[in-house]
Amino acid sequence: MSERKVLNKYYPPDFDPSKIPRRRGPKNSQQVVRLMAPFSMRCNTCGDYIYKGKKFNARKETVEGEDYYGIKIFRFYIKCTLCSSEITFKTDPKNTDYVAEHGAQRNFEPWRDEKAEEEDRLAKLEEEENNPMKALENRTTDSKREMDILDALQDIRAKNARIERVGQAQASDLLERLGMQEIEDEEDMRKRLEEEEDERLVREVFSKVPGPSGLGTSTLELPSNNASGPESAVDTPATSLPPSPPRSITIKRKADGMEPELSTLLAADSGKSAPPVSVKLTQPPAKKKKLGANLLGIKVVKKKKVSV
């Protein structure tokens, strides 16, 4: 039995390596590799985001007809994690990066735009050094662009100034309206306070108290401290309208007098200390309600006799 770990193999004398059958696979065969997403992308089918570093079981193949100075370019096939649609991207040896090819869109990366702008600027400078006419054309184009930018800036400034003037005018008008409104509010407040003060004074001077059942509405004048003689006597009750419930006595107070007791006023108003009044207070007779079928809302209809 031969050893397992040996460096030399035994070849018989009649061994011919050309007779060994060689396996020939397809020319552009695909290999299954395990990789991570080289950049963040968004699926065009379902809109799901695939972030950088997510692992996939991808298929790798060589791109035919494309290379960069003899360096092969490889294409990778992966599937979306949400909708399982196919996404392809390939290598970019020129920029040492990857390029999204089909099924997905690379997310925006600002540093990539800065690099592209820097490359364009360097290429433009190199071209101007080799071609003077191209440099003149570029300068003419740049000057024209600057003039257009200045014109647009001037238009924007004029528009802003016009808007500012209109805004100031509107602001002044608004302030004036607010001032007038405040003045009107102050006047309304002053009028309302005056009306309230008048109402309060009226309530202080005139008041009503319940009187006896047989009297109507009468007016009494209260005596003051300095009054004397017949002027300080209680006025006779005066009635101009038939009494109506509820009956009350209107008492008129003088501003400089002291308020007397209510019992004296009622006694004076009832006629105990005052001269008799010729006017008699009578109540209208109460109407009697008719009792019958109509009281319940029933309408009696008599039937007409039909002649035969």
Side-chain angles (χ1 to χ4, degrees):
M1 186 174 180
S2 63
E3 295 291 336
R4 291 185 302 108
K5 297 179 180 180
V6 294
L7 299 178
N8 297 328
K9 300 288 184 180
Y10 172 76
Y11 294 99
D14 56 349
F15 176 72
D16 188 4
S18 61
K19 293 181 180 180
I20 299 174
R22 295 186 179 275
R23 183 178 60 180
R24 293 185 180 274
K27 188 176 182 180
N28 190 11
S29 62
Q30 294 181 350
Q31 300 176 2
V32 178
V33 295
R34 182 76 171 174
L35 57 79
M36 292 187 294
F39 51 80
S40 299
M41 65 187 81
R42 184 173 183 266
C43 180
N44 294 335
T45 304
C46 63
D48 187 32
Y49 286 95
I50 300 173
Y51 297 99
K52 180 179 180 181
K54 190 173 184 60
K55 293 182 179 181
F56 292 94
N57 292 326
R59 292 178 288 114
K60 184 184 80 170
E61 69 177 7
T62 304
V63 180
E64 293 183 359
E66 294 184 19
D67 60 353
Y68 179 74
Y69 294 108
I71 302 174
K72 294 181 180 180
I73 297 176
F74 298 99
R75 181 182 289 114
F76 299 92
Y77 297 85
I78 62 174
K79 289 186 178 180
C80 177
T81 56
L82 185 62
C83 63
S84 299
S85 60
E86 193 172 59
I87 299 172
T88 62
F89 57 89
K90 59 184 179 179
T91 57
D92 185 10
K94 180 180 179 180
N95 299 318
T96 63
D97 200 359
Y98 292 84
V99 179
E101 188 178 19
H102 174 72
Q105 183 180 2
R106 187 167 183 170
N107 292 344
F108 175 72
E109 297 172 351
W111 57 86
R112 296 179 67 247
D113 291 345
E114 293 177 359
K115 292 180 181 178
E117 290 178 0
E118 185 67 20
E119 291 177 358
D120 295 342
R121 189 179 65 82
L122 294 176
K124 184 178 179 180
L125 292 175
E126 186 178 356
E127 186 179 6
E128 288 179 355
E129 289 177 358
N130 299 330
N131 190 354
M133 293 301 296
K134 188 68 175 178
L136 181 61
E137 290 177 1
N138 292 337
R139 285 196 297 271
T140 305
T141 305
D142 293 341
S143 62
K144 185 178 180 181
R145 187 185 301 109
E146 289 178 0
M147 293 297 294
D148 294 341
I149 292 172
L150 290 175
D151 293 342
L153 183 60
Q154 187 67 23
D155 294 341
I156 292 172
R157 287 178 177 175
K159 185 177 179 180
N160 291 340
R162 184 169 60 255
I163 292 173
E164 186 177 358
R165 288 195 300 271
V166 172
Q168 290 179 355
Q170 292 179 353
S172 62
D173 295 342
L174 180 61
L175 291 175
E176 290 178 359
R177 288 197 298 271
L178 290 175
M180 293 298 295
Q181 187 175 2
E182 289 179 357
I183 293 173
E184 292 177 357
D185 293 341
E186 291 178 357
E187 291 180 355
D188 294 341
M189 180 68 72
R190 182 173 54 79
K191 290 180 180 179
R192 187 167 65 254
L193 291 176
E194 291 178 356
E195 291 176 359
E196 292 178 357
E197 184 68 19
D198 295 342
E199 291 290 337
R200 188 179 63 81
L201 292 175
V202 168
R203 286 196 300 271
E204 289 181 357
V205 173
F206 297 97
S207 64
K208 292 184 178 181
V209 296
S213 59
L215 295 177
T217 302
S218 60
T219 304
L220 299 178
E221 184 177 355
L222 302 181
S224 60
N225 294 337
N226 300 329
S228 60
E231 294 181 357
S232 60
V234 180
D235 294 345
T236 59
T239 57
S240 58
L241 295 175
S244 59
R247 299 177 180 83
S248 61
I249 300 172
T250 303
I251 302 173
K252 180 178 178 183
R253 297 183 177 89
K254 290 187 177 181
D256 55 348
M258 297 297 292
E259 183 178 358
E261 294 183 359
L262 182 61
S263 58
T264 58
L265 296 177
L266 294 177
D269 187 55
S270 59
K272 292 180 180 180
S273 61
V277 184
S278 61
V279 179
K280 295 183 180 180
L281 301 176
T282 58
Q283 294 183 356
K287 296 182 179 179
K288 295 182 179 180
K289 295 183 179 180
K290 296 181 180 180
L291 299 177
N294 291 335
L295 183 61
L296 301 177
I298 300 172
K299 186 176 182 181
V300 180
V301 180
K302 296 181 179 180
K303 293 183 179 181
K304 296 181 180 179
K305 295 183 180 181
V306 181
S307 59
V308 179

